[in-house]
Amino acid sequence: MGKRQLYAGEILLGECYRWLGYCNMHKASVDFDASIMFYEKALKIKEDVDDTDNESLFLLELGDSYRRKGDTKNAISALEKSLKIQMNRGEFSYRALTLLTTAWIYLRNLKEFDKALDYCLEGLKFCKIYPDDKTKQQLMRACGSAYRQKGNYKLAEKYYSSALELAQKMEDKIQEAIAINSLGDFYTDIGNWEKALDSFLTSLKIRGALGAVVGVENHNVGCAYQRVGNLDEAQKYFKQSLELYQQGKGIYGIYFNLRELAANSFIRGDFRQALSYSEECLRLAQREGYPAKGATHTKANIFLFQDKLEEANGHYKQAIDLKGGIEDEIVSLAYLSRCEYLLGQRERALSSSKRSIDLAKKHKHKLGILLSNLYY
């Protein structure tokens, strides 16, 4: 066999490995490890035969596999290498998509919102040169998310609305639903719970009609109902979301639904059920290494439900001091006030409850106001 034939065979094998990587990434039961293994084999063959065709695309897909697996370091490494090759060789067909994939990592995993925004805005520039409405629409949504996280709500709404308009223009129902869901997140952040609820319900309806798995959408609807004080509807949607995540073995979704169901049961006064949800939530948090603030608050709940008031008191204070969202702080202060009340520390309970109420009112958090008023 001649050298040229050998190289052609190796290149074909590399393409086969690449497609095996792609299939393992997109089949119903995703196998991240197999996908990564096949992409790396494909890239090794390219290196061995000095074949540079589509190398940046292979690296993009490898980086996306690492991203979805949660391996941020290797994802960034592969994506940055792809971006460098694209610039050196003038291969810009996939540049906007590579920038978008990288932006999601900085946005969702690393919480570096300025850097995420830089990648998004650069990606939008390339979309003007190499038109790609699908990528452009997602870049707009990512920009909206970055601006929302930075607290620039005017620009967040602008980009979210533009993303929705483009999705509707493309008649892409999936991206339309995702954009509407993002607007729901935006309305949540500015305290407009009614619009948030309407957005989440609309997104759920669209996604459900498409036959999509709607664990996220059910959870968001549950959160919106809980924030407006409709505990029955909230509980119904959390349970639906929990069931979907359990079917798909989505551990992070299970964890957050258990947290919300524990809070829902606590407000109802069903402490036995709240304790059950909290214990299961804590086991998951400890096993998976989830955020310390949420796990610490959950642990405090368990101590409170077991009448171990001093331990609960200490853990609520720890949870308040840890970095986290304003909603977690409102709820932790409300629970702390109950604990202090039961310990006979009436003035401290009053102070904690007032702090919780003030924060809840400032951020228009109706559930927080309801919780905070329990022992005010």
Side-chain angles (χ1 to χ4, degrees), residues 100-113:
L100 171 65
T101 307
T102 311
W104 281 130
I105 296 173
Y106 283 107
L107 184 62
R108 292 172 173 168
N109 301 88
L110 300 177
K111 310 297 182 187
E112 295 183 26
F113 306 123

Side-chain angles (χ1 to χ4, degrees), residues 18 82 128 138 158 166 220 264 282 314 337:
R18 180 251 172 160
S82 177
K128 291 178 181 178
Q138 293 182 59
K158 173 190 170 184
L166 185 52
N220 288 342
N264 185 283
L282 181 59
S337 71

Side-chain angles (χ1 to χ4, degrees), residues 14-189:
E15 289 288 342
C16 290
Y17 279 140
R18 180 251 172 160
W19 281 111
L20 281 168
Y22 184 87
C23 290
N24 275 284
M25 193 65 197
H26 294 277
K27 67 181 183 178
S29 54
V30 177
D31 188 337
F32 297 115
D33 292 324
S35 178
I36 289 166
M37 177 188 72
F38 284 123
Y39 278 129
E40 288 182 337
K41 281 188 174 185
L43 283 162
K44 181 67 169 62
I45 288 174
K46 281 190 169 294
E47 182 183 343
D48 290 344
V49 301
D50 197 26
D51 172 35
T52 60
D53 287 349
N54 289 326
E55 184 181 5
S56 63
L57 174 60
F58 283 32
L59 283 163
L60 162 59
E61 292 173 347
L62 173 63
D64 194 36
S65 296
Y66 274 124
R67 177 183 73 87
R68 294 179 187 225
K69 183 186 176 184
D71 187 340
T72 301
K73 183 178 179 181
N74 280 315
I76 290 287
S77 175
L79 292 166
E80 290 291 358
K81 189 173 181 181
S82 177
L83 288 168
K84 185 177 180 180
I85 289 171
Q86 291 168 19
M87 285 301 291
N88 290 342
R89 298 175 187 166
E91 299 172 358
F92 298 135
S93 299
Y94 302 101
R95 189 163 183 83
L97 182 57
T98 312
L99 289 163
L100 171 65
T101 307
T102 311
W104 281 130
I105 296 173
Y106 283 107
L107 184 62
R108 292 172 173 168
N109 301 88
L110 300 177
K111 310 297 182 187
E112 295 183 26
F113 306 123
D114 286 325
K115 205 157 189 176
L117 196 54
D118 288 342
Y119 281 101
C120 289
L121 294 174
E122 185 182 349
L124 286 172
K125 288 179 183 177
F126 274 92
C127 284
K128 291 178 181 178
I129 306 169
Y130 299 90
D132 178 356
D133 281 350
K134 185 175 181 179
T135 302
K136 180 182 178 181
Q137 190 271 341
Q138 293 182 59
L139 281 163
M140 286 176 169
R141 183 164 57 83
C143 277
S145 295
Y147 278 122
R148 179 172 67 84
Q149 294 290 353
K150 284 166 59 65
N152 190 331
Y153 296 119
K154 185 176 180 180
L155 283 177
E157 185 176 25
K158 173 190 170 184
Y159 276 101
Y160 280 148
S161 298
S162 296
L164 175 58
E165 288 171 13
L166 185 52
Q168 290 170 333
K169 180 183 175 183
M170 294 189 299
E171 297 183 350
D172 187 330
K173 285 293 183 182
I174 292 176
Q175 290 302 324
E176 179 183 350
I178 294 172
I180 291 170
N181 191 75
S182 296
L183 277 167
D185 291 332
F186 162 76
Y187 290 128
T188 296
D189 276 12

